Amino acid sequence: QVQLVESGGGLVQAGDSLRLSCAASGHSFSDHTIGWFRQAPGKEREFVAAIRWNIGTTVYDDSVKDRFTISRDNTKNTVYLQMNTLKPEDTAVYYCAGKRGIISARFPRTYDYWGQGTQVTVSS
């Protein structure tokens, strides 16, 4: 079975940067999509970004596409989310998730494996 562990969250000021990590174990992700989602208090879990593991193609939500970058390191079985120019609106628990295939990447209920989440708090 696949285990995903997020790390890298923290408390930062508006305009700062953070890099989140999602370490994967227990499975080969060559045919997988790895996504980042976030959930703020009182809101539904929303899509942030996703990457196809094998060739590295990416997709972003419009709210973050000019500021965030998703990438992966094959040697470490790790997916990263580089977050720049953070805003208070980015405050949320961030989750990484994985699934087979490439379609419906924006829909969290299509993912099979989830990490525990890491808190990102951006002060104004």
Side-chain angles (χ1 to χ4, degrees), residues 96-118:
C96 67
K99 67 175 182 177
R100 300 279 299 276
I102 61 174
I103 63 173
S104 302
R106 289 181 168 86
F107 297 94
R109 65 182 60 189
T110 67
Y111 286 76
D112 299 313
Y113 311 108
W114 290 85
Q116 84 289 344
T118 185

Side-chain angles (χ1 to χ4, degrees), residues 12-122:
V12 298
Q13 293 183 325
D16 286 351
S17 298
L18 280 174
R19 189 177 74 164
L20 306 183
S21 298
C22 175
S25 62
H27 197 275
S28 172
F29 291 90
S30 61
D31 61 346
H32 277 57
T33 297
I34 306 297
W36 284 97
F37 296 82
R38 64 187 182 186
Q39 187 166 22
K43 294 186 176 182
E44 297 182 359
R45 189 167 299 184
E46 65 178 359
F47 173 77
V48 177
I51 186 169
R52 292 180 62 184
W53 183 262
N54 58 347
I55 59 175
T57 55
T58 60
V59 61
Y60 297 90
D61 185 76
D62 287 343
S63 66
V64 305
K65 65 181 180 181
D66 295 326
R67 300 181 294 121
F68 292 8
T69 303
I70 188 171
S71 62
R72 83 273 194 262
D73 186 334
N74 294 344
T75 65
K76 296 183 177 181
N77 288 330
T78 299
V79 174
Y80 302 98
L81 184 68
Q82 179 67 46
M83 305 185 295
N84 297 326
T85 318
L86 282 162
K87 304 175 181 179
E89 306 94 274
D90 297 317
T91 296
V93 177
Y94 283 71
Y95 300 88
C96 67
K99 67 175 182 177
R100 300 279 299 276
I102 61 174
I103 63 173
S104 302
R106 289 181 168 86
F107 297 94
R109 65 182 60 189
T110 67
Y111 286 76
D112 299 313
Y113 311 108
W114 290 85
Q116 84 289 344
T118 185
Q119 177 72 48
V120 173
T121 303
V122 185

